[in-house]
Short mmCIF file of all heavy atoms in Angstrom, two decimals:
data_model
loop_
_atom_site.label_atom_id
_atom_site.label_comp_id
_atom_site.label_asym_id
_atom_site.label_seq_id
_atom_site.Cartn_x
_atom_site.Cartn_y
_atom_site.Cartn_z
N ASP A 225 -57.69 -175.64 -53.67
CA ASP A 225 -57.60 -176.99 -54.23
C ASP A 225 -56.69 -177.87 -53.37
O ASP A 225 -56.99 -179.05 -53.15
CB ASP A 225 -57.06 -176.94 -55.66
CG ASP A 225 -58.00 -176.18 -56.58
OD1 ASP A 225 -59.22 -176.30 -56.43
OD2 ASP A 225 -57.49 -175.46 -57.46
N PHE A 226 -55.60 -177.29 -52.89
CA PHE A 226 -54.69 -178.05 -52.01
C PHE A 226 -55.41 -178.45 -50.72
O PHE A 226 -55.34 -179.60 -50.29
CB PHE A 226 -53.45 -177.21 -51.70
CG PHE A 226 -52.53 -177.86 -50.71
CD1 PHE A 226 -51.73 -178.92 -51.09
CD2 PHE A 226 -52.48 -177.40 -49.40
CE1 PHE A 226 -50.89 -179.53 -50.16
CE2 PHE A 226 -51.64 -178.00 -48.48
CZ PHE A 226 -50.84 -179.07 -48.86
N ALA A 227 -56.13 -177.49 -50.12
CA ALA A 227 -56.87 -177.77 -48.89
C ALA A 227 -57.92 -178.85 -49.12
O ALA A 227 -58.12 -179.73 -48.28
CB ALA A 227 -57.52 -176.49 -48.36
N PHE A 228 -58.56 -178.80 -50.29
CA PHE A 228 -59.56 -179.81 -50.64
C PHE A 228 -58.94 -181.19 -50.68
O PHE A 228 -59.47 -182.15 -50.13
CB PHE A 228 -60.19 -179.47 -51.99
CG PHE A 228 -60.95 -180.60 -52.60
CD1 PHE A 228 -62.22 -180.91 -52.17
CD2 PHE A 228 -60.37 -181.40 -53.58
CE1 PHE A 228 -62.92 -181.98 -52.71
CE2 PHE A 228 -61.06 -182.45 -54.12
CZ PHE A 228 -62.33 -182.75 -53.68
N THR A 229 -57.78 -181.31 -51.33
CA THR A 229 -57.12 -182.60 -51.47
C THR A 229 -56.73 -183.16 -50.10
O THR A 229 -56.91 -184.35 -49.82
CB THR A 229 -55.88 -182.47 -52.37
OG1 THR A 229 -56.29 -181.93 -53.63
CG2 THR A 229 -55.22 -183.81 -52.61
N VAL A 230 -56.22 -182.29 -49.22
CA VAL A 230 -55.85 -182.72 -47.87
C VAL A 230 -57.11 -183.16 -47.11
O VAL A 230 -57.10 -184.19 -46.41
CB VAL A 230 -55.10 -181.60 -47.12
CG1 VAL A 230 -54.94 -181.94 -45.65
CG2 VAL A 230 -53.76 -181.33 -47.77
N ALA A 231 -58.19 -182.41 -47.25
CA ALA A 231 -59.44 -182.74 -46.54
C ALA A 231 -59.99 -184.09 -47.01
O ALA A 231 -60.44 -184.90 -46.18
CB ALA A 231 -60.47 -181.64 -46.75
N ILE A 232 -59.94 -184.34 -48.31
CA ILE A 232 -60.42 -185.63 -48.83
C ILE A 232 -59.60 -186.77 -48.24
O ILE A 232 -60.13 -187.79 -47.80
CB ILE A 232 -60.36 -185.66 -50.38
CG1 ILE A 232 -61.43 -184.76 -50.98
CG2 ILE A 232 -60.50 -187.08 -50.92
CD1 ILE A 232 -62.84 -185.25 -50.83
N GLY A 233 -58.28 -186.60 -48.21
CA GLY A 233 -57.41 -187.62 -47.63
C GLY A 233 -57.73 -187.87 -46.17
O GLY A 233 -57.77 -189.02 -45.71
N SER A 234 -57.99 -186.80 -45.45
CA SER A 234 -58.32 -186.92 -44.03
C SER A 234 -59.65 -187.65 -43.83
O SER A 234 -59.77 -188.50 -42.95
CB SER A 234 -58.39 -185.52 -43.41
OG SER A 234 -58.78 -185.60 -42.07
N ILE A 235 -60.62 -187.33 -44.66
CA ILE A 235 -61.94 -188.00 -44.55
C ILE A 235 -61.79 -189.49 -44.85
O ILE A 235 -62.33 -190.33 -44.13
CB ILE A 235 -62.96 -187.35 -45.50
CG1 ILE A 235 -63.32 -185.95 -45.00
CG2 ILE A 235 -64.21 -188.20 -45.62
CD1 ILE A 235 -64.11 -185.13 -46.00
N ILE A 236 -61.07 -189.81 -45.91
CA ILE A 236 -60.89 -191.22 -46.26
C ILE A 236 -60.19 -191.97 -45.13
O ILE A 236 -60.58 -193.07 -44.75
CB ILE A 236 -60.13 -191.35 -47.59
CG1 ILE A 236 -61.01 -190.86 -48.74
CG2 ILE A 236 -59.69 -192.80 -47.84
CD1 ILE A 236 -60.29 -190.72 -50.06
N SER A 237 -59.16 -191.35 -44.56
CA SER A 237 -58.45 -191.97 -43.45
C SER A 237 -59.39 -192.19 -42.27
O SER A 237 -59.38 -193.25 -41.64
CB SER A 237 -57.29 -191.07 -43.03
OG SER A 237 -56.70 -191.54 -41.86
N SER A 238 -60.22 -191.20 -41.99
CA SER A 238 -61.16 -191.30 -40.88
C SER A 238 -62.18 -192.42 -41.10
O SER A 238 -62.50 -193.17 -40.18
CB SER A 238 -61.89 -189.97 -40.70
OG SER A 238 -62.85 -190.06 -39.70
N ILE A 239 -62.64 -192.54 -42.33
CA ILE A 239 -63.62 -193.59 -42.65
C ILE A 239 -63.00 -194.97 -42.46
O ILE A 239 -63.62 -195.87 -41.89
CB ILE A 239 -64.11 -193.46 -44.11
CG1 ILE A 239 -64.93 -192.19 -44.28
CG2 ILE A 239 -64.94 -194.67 -44.52
CD1 ILE A 239 -65.18 -191.83 -45.73
N LEU A 240 -61.77 -195.13 -42.94
CA LEU A 240 -61.15 -196.45 -42.94
C LEU A 240 -60.54 -196.85 -41.60
O LEU A 240 -60.29 -198.02 -41.36
CB LEU A 240 -60.10 -196.53 -44.04
CG LEU A 240 -60.63 -196.34 -45.46
CD1 LEU A 240 -59.49 -196.39 -46.46
CD2 LEU A 240 -61.69 -197.38 -45.79
N THR A 241 -60.28 -195.88 -40.72
CA THR A 241 -59.59 -196.22 -39.48
C THR A 241 -60.37 -195.89 -38.21
O THR A 241 -59.86 -196.12 -37.13
CB THR A 241 -58.22 -195.49 -39.41
OG1 THR A 241 -58.45 -194.08 -39.44
CG2 THR A 241 -57.32 -195.92 -40.54
N SER A 242 -61.57 -195.36 -38.34
CA SER A 242 -62.31 -195.03 -37.12
C SER A 242 -63.75 -195.50 -37.25
O SER A 242 -64.10 -196.24 -38.14
CB SER A 242 -62.26 -193.52 -36.86
OG SER A 242 -63.06 -192.84 -37.79
N SER A 243 -64.57 -195.00 -36.37
CA SER A 243 -65.96 -195.44 -36.33
C SER A 243 -66.86 -194.62 -37.26
O SER A 243 -68.07 -194.77 -37.24
CB SER A 243 -66.49 -195.35 -34.90
OG SER A 243 -66.41 -194.02 -34.45
N THR A 244 -66.27 -193.73 -38.09
CA THR A 244 -67.08 -192.96 -39.03
C THR A 244 -67.70 -193.91 -40.05
O THR A 244 -67.01 -194.74 -40.63
CB THR A 244 -66.20 -191.92 -39.77
OG1 THR A 244 -65.58 -191.09 -38.81
CG2 THR A 244 -67.02 -191.09 -40.73
N SER A 245 -69.00 -193.78 -40.27
CA SER A 245 -69.67 -194.69 -41.19
C SER A 245 -69.35 -194.33 -42.64
O SER A 245 -68.97 -193.20 -42.95
CB SER A 245 -71.18 -194.65 -40.98
OG SER A 245 -71.70 -193.42 -41.45
N LEU A 246 -69.51 -195.31 -43.52
CA LEU A 246 -69.26 -195.08 -44.94
C LEU A 246 -70.21 -194.02 -45.50
O LEU A 246 -69.79 -193.17 -46.29
CB LEU A 246 -69.42 -196.38 -45.72
CG LEU A 246 -68.27 -197.37 -45.60
CD1 LEU A 246 -68.63 -198.68 -46.27
CD2 LEU A 246 -67.01 -196.80 -46.20
N VAL A 247 -71.45 -194.05 -45.09
CA VAL A 247 -72.42 -193.07 -45.59
C VAL A 247 -72.03 -191.67 -45.13
O VAL A 247 -72.04 -190.72 -45.93
CB VAL A 247 -73.86 -193.42 -45.12
CG1 VAL A 247 -74.83 -192.31 -45.45
CG2 VAL A 247 -74.31 -194.74 -45.74
N HIS A 248 -71.66 -191.54 -43.87
CA HIS A 248 -71.23 -190.24 -43.34
C HIS A 248 -70.02 -189.72 -44.12
O HIS A 248 -69.96 -188.55 -44.51
CB HIS A 248 -70.92 -190.39 -41.85
CG HIS A 248 -70.65 -189.11 -41.15
ND1 HIS A 248 -69.82 -189.01 -40.09
CD2 HIS A 248 -71.07 -187.84 -41.39
CE1 HIS A 248 -69.74 -187.77 -39.68
NE2 HIS A 248 -70.49 -187.03 -40.46
N GLY A 249 -69.04 -190.59 -44.34
CA GLY A 249 -67.85 -190.21 -45.09
C GLY A 249 -68.16 -189.86 -46.54
O GLY A 249 -67.63 -188.89 -47.09
N ALA A 250 -69.03 -190.65 -47.17
CA ALA A 250 -69.40 -190.38 -48.56
C ALA A 250 -70.12 -189.03 -48.67
O ALA A 250 -69.86 -188.27 -49.61
CB ALA A 250 -70.28 -191.50 -49.10
N VAL A 251 -70.98 -188.72 -47.72
CA VAL A 251 -71.68 -187.42 -47.72
C VAL A 251 -70.66 -186.29 -47.57
O VAL A 251 -70.75 -185.26 -48.25
CB VAL A 251 -72.76 -187.37 -46.61
CG1 VAL A 251 -73.26 -185.95 -46.40
CG2 VAL A 251 -73.91 -188.30 -46.95
N ALA A 252 -69.66 -186.48 -46.71
CA ALA A 252 -68.62 -185.46 -46.52
C ALA A 252 -67.83 -185.25 -47.81
O ALA A 252 -67.56 -184.11 -48.21
CB ALA A 252 -67.70 -185.85 -45.37
N ILE A 253 -67.47 -186.32 -48.48
CA ILE A 253 -66.71 -186.22 -49.73
C ILE A 253 -67.55 -185.54 -50.81
O ILE A 253 -67.07 -184.63 -51.51
CB ILE A 253 -66.23 -187.61 -50.20
CG1 ILE A 253 -65.12 -188.10 -49.26
CG2 ILE A 253 -65.74 -187.58 -51.64
CD1 ILE A 253 -64.71 -189.53 -49.47
N VAL A 254 -68.81 -185.95 -50.96
CA VAL A 254 -69.68 -185.33 -51.96
C VAL A 254 -69.85 -183.84 -51.65
O VAL A 254 -69.80 -183.00 -52.55
CB VAL A 254 -71.05 -186.06 -52.03
CG1 VAL A 254 -72.05 -185.28 -52.85
CG2 VAL A 254 -70.86 -187.46 -52.60
N SER A 255 -70.02 -183.51 -50.37
CA SER A 255 -70.16 -182.10 -49.98
C SER A 255 -68.93 -181.29 -50.37
O SER A 255 -69.05 -180.19 -50.92
CB SER A 255 -70.38 -181.98 -48.47
OG SER A 255 -71.56 -182.63 -48.09
N LEU A 256 -67.75 -181.83 -50.11
CA LEU A 256 -66.52 -181.13 -50.48
C LEU A 256 -66.41 -180.96 -52.00
O LEU A 256 -65.98 -179.91 -52.49
CB LEU A 256 -65.29 -181.87 -49.97
CG LEU A 256 -64.92 -181.60 -48.52
CD1 LEU A 256 -63.78 -182.51 -48.09
CD2 LEU A 256 -64.52 -180.16 -48.32
N LEU A 257 -66.79 -181.99 -52.75
CA LEU A 257 -66.74 -181.89 -54.21
C LEU A 257 -67.72 -180.84 -54.73
O LEU A 257 -67.40 -180.08 -55.65
CB LEU A 257 -67.00 -183.25 -54.85
CG LEU A 257 -65.83 -184.23 -54.76
CD1 LEU A 257 -66.29 -185.64 -55.08
CD2 LEU A 257 -64.71 -183.82 -55.67
N VAL A 258 -68.89 -180.76 -54.12
CA VAL A 258 -69.87 -179.74 -54.52
C VAL A 258 -69.35 -178.35 -54.17
O VAL A 258 -69.46 -177.41 -54.97
CB VAL A 258 -71.25 -180.01 -53.86
CG1 VAL A 258 -72.19 -178.83 -54.03
CG2 VAL A 258 -71.88 -181.27 -54.45
N ILE A 259 -68.74 -178.20 -53.00
CA ILE A 259 -68.16 -176.91 -52.61
C ILE A 259 -67.06 -176.51 -53.60
O ILE A 259 -66.96 -175.35 -54.01
CB ILE A 259 -67.61 -176.96 -51.17
CG1 ILE A 259 -68.78 -177.03 -50.17
CG2 ILE A 259 -66.73 -175.76 -50.86
CD1 ILE A 259 -68.36 -177.37 -48.75
N THR A 260 -66.25 -177.48 -54.03
CA THR A 260 -65.20 -177.21 -55.01
C THR A 260 -65.79 -176.77 -56.34
O THR A 260 -65.29 -175.85 -56.99
CB THR A 260 -64.33 -178.47 -55.21
OG1 THR A 260 -63.76 -178.82 -53.96
CG2 THR A 260 -63.23 -178.23 -56.21
N PHE A 261 -66.87 -177.43 -56.75
CA PHE A 261 -67.55 -177.07 -58.00
C PHE A 261 -68.07 -175.63 -57.91
O PHE A 261 -67.86 -174.83 -58.83
CB PHE A 261 -68.70 -178.05 -58.26
CG PHE A 261 -69.48 -177.75 -59.49
CD1 PHE A 261 -68.97 -178.05 -60.74
CD2 PHE A 261 -70.73 -177.15 -59.40
CE1 PHE A 261 -69.69 -177.77 -61.89
CE2 PHE A 261 -71.46 -176.86 -60.53
CZ PHE A 261 -70.94 -177.18 -61.78
N ILE A 262 -68.71 -175.28 -56.82
CA ILE A 262 -69.24 -173.92 -56.63
C ILE A 262 -68.09 -172.92 -56.59
O ILE A 262 -68.16 -171.85 -57.20
CB ILE A 262 -70.10 -173.85 -55.34
CG1 ILE A 262 -71.38 -174.67 -55.53
CG2 ILE A 262 -70.43 -172.41 -54.98
CD1 ILE A 262 -72.15 -174.91 -54.24
N SER A 263 -67.01 -173.27 -55.89
CA SER A 263 -65.86 -172.38 -55.79
C SER A 263 -65.23 -172.13 -57.16
O SER A 263 -64.85 -171.00 -57.48
CB SER A 263 -64.81 -172.97 -54.85
OG SER A 263 -63.69 -172.14 -54.78
N SER A 264 -65.12 -173.16 -57.98
CA SER A 264 -64.52 -172.96 -59.32
C SER A 264 -65.41 -172.07 -60.18
O SER A 264 -64.92 -171.25 -60.96
CB SER A 264 -64.26 -174.30 -60.01
OG SER A 264 -65.45 -174.96 -60.31
N TYR A 265 -66.73 -172.18 -60.00
CA TYR A 265 -67.65 -171.29 -60.73
C TYR A 265 -67.47 -169.85 -60.25
O TYR A 265 -67.40 -168.93 -61.07
CB TYR A 265 -69.10 -171.75 -60.52
CG TYR A 265 -70.09 -170.76 -61.09
CD1 TYR A 265 -70.32 -170.72 -62.46
CD2 TYR A 265 -70.75 -169.85 -60.27
CE1 TYR A 265 -71.21 -169.79 -63.00
CE2 TYR A 265 -71.63 -168.93 -60.79
CZ TYR A 265 -71.86 -168.90 -62.16
OH TYR A 265 -72.72 -167.98 -62.68
N LEU A 266 -67.39 -169.66 -58.94
CA LEU A 266 -67.21 -168.31 -58.39
C LEU A 266 -65.88 -167.69 -58.82
O LEU A 266 -65.80 -166.49 -59.04
CB LEU A 266 -67.31 -168.33 -56.86
CG LEU A 266 -68.70 -168.62 -56.29
CD1 LEU A 266 -68.64 -168.75 -54.77
CD2 LEU A 266 -69.70 -167.55 -56.71
N GLN A 267 -64.84 -168.52 -58.95
CA GLN A 267 -63.55 -168.02 -59.42
C GLN A 267 -63.66 -167.45 -60.83
O GLN A 267 -63.03 -166.44 -61.14
CB GLN A 267 -62.50 -169.14 -59.42
CG GLN A 267 -61.84 -169.35 -58.09
CD GLN A 267 -60.77 -170.39 -58.21
OE1 GLN A 267 -61.04 -171.58 -58.14
NE2 GLN A 267 -59.54 -169.95 -58.38
N ARG A 268 -64.42 -168.11 -61.67
CA ARG A 268 -64.59 -167.62 -63.05
C ARG A 268 -65.49 -166.39 -63.09
O ARG A 268 -65.28 -165.48 -63.88
CB ARG A 268 -65.18 -168.72 -63.93
CG ARG A 268 -64.21 -169.82 -64.26
CD ARG A 268 -64.74 -170.78 -65.31
NE ARG A 268 -66.08 -171.31 -65.05
CZ ARG A 268 -66.35 -172.38 -64.32
NH1 ARG A 268 -65.37 -173.04 -63.75
NH2 ARG A 268 -67.58 -172.79 -64.14
N ALA A 269 -66.50 -166.35 -62.22
CA ALA A 269 -67.49 -165.29 -62.27
C ALA A 269 -67.07 -164.02 -61.51
O ALA A 269 -67.42 -162.92 -61.93
CB ALA A 269 -68.82 -165.80 -61.72
N LEU A 270 -66.36 -164.18 -60.41
CA LEU A 270 -66.03 -163.03 -59.55
C LEU A 270 -64.51 -162.89 -59.39
O LEU A 270 -63.85 -163.72 -58.77
CB LEU A 270 -66.65 -163.23 -58.16
CG LEU A 270 -68.16 -163.47 -58.12
CD1 LEU A 270 -68.60 -163.85 -56.71
CD2 LEU A 270 -68.91 -162.24 -58.61
N LYS A 271 -63.98 -161.82 -59.95
CA LYS A 271 -62.54 -161.58 -59.92
C LYS A 271 -62.02 -161.45 -58.48
O LYS A 271 -60.97 -161.99 -58.15
CB LYS A 271 -62.23 -160.30 -60.73
CG LYS A 271 -60.78 -159.95 -60.79
CD LYS A 271 -60.00 -160.93 -61.66
CE LYS A 271 -58.56 -160.45 -61.81
NZ LYS A 271 -57.69 -161.48 -62.23
N PHE A 272 -62.77 -160.74 -57.62
CA PHE A 272 -62.30 -160.55 -56.24
C PHE A 272 -62.20 -161.89 -55.51
O PHE A 272 -61.31 -162.11 -54.70
CB PHE A 272 -63.17 -159.55 -55.47
CG PHE A 272 -64.44 -160.14 -54.90
CD1 PHE A 272 -64.45 -160.65 -53.62
CD2 PHE A 272 -65.60 -160.16 -55.65
CE1 PHE A 272 -65.61 -161.20 -53.08
CE2 PHE A 272 -66.77 -160.69 -55.13
CZ PHE A 272 -66.77 -161.22 -53.84
#
């Protein structure tokens, strides 16, 4: 979760301060949120 929060901040910074397009950044953020959703499901389902 900590790594996710840092990654989101980095993506937002990249979008607002570089040539990364808004669509590219939005896709990256949505992808990270989906990965987080899958990870939270796996945490509940798989003890290891």
Side-chain angles (χ1 to χ4, degrees):
D225 297 322
F226 175 75
F228 165 79
T229 304
V230 170
I232 288 290
S234 177
I235 290 169
I236 291 170
S237 172
S238 177
I239 293 167
L240 298 178
T241 61
S242 72
S243 60
T244 302
S245 71
L246 284 172
V247 171
H248 188 210
V251 167
I253 289 171
V254 169
S255 298
L256 277 174
L257 286 165
V258 169
I259 290 168
T260 301
F261 178 76
I262 292 168
S263 178
S264 67
Y265 172 78
L266 291 175
Q267 276 184 276
R268 287 189 310 274
L270 305 171
K271 181 71 174 161
F272 82 92

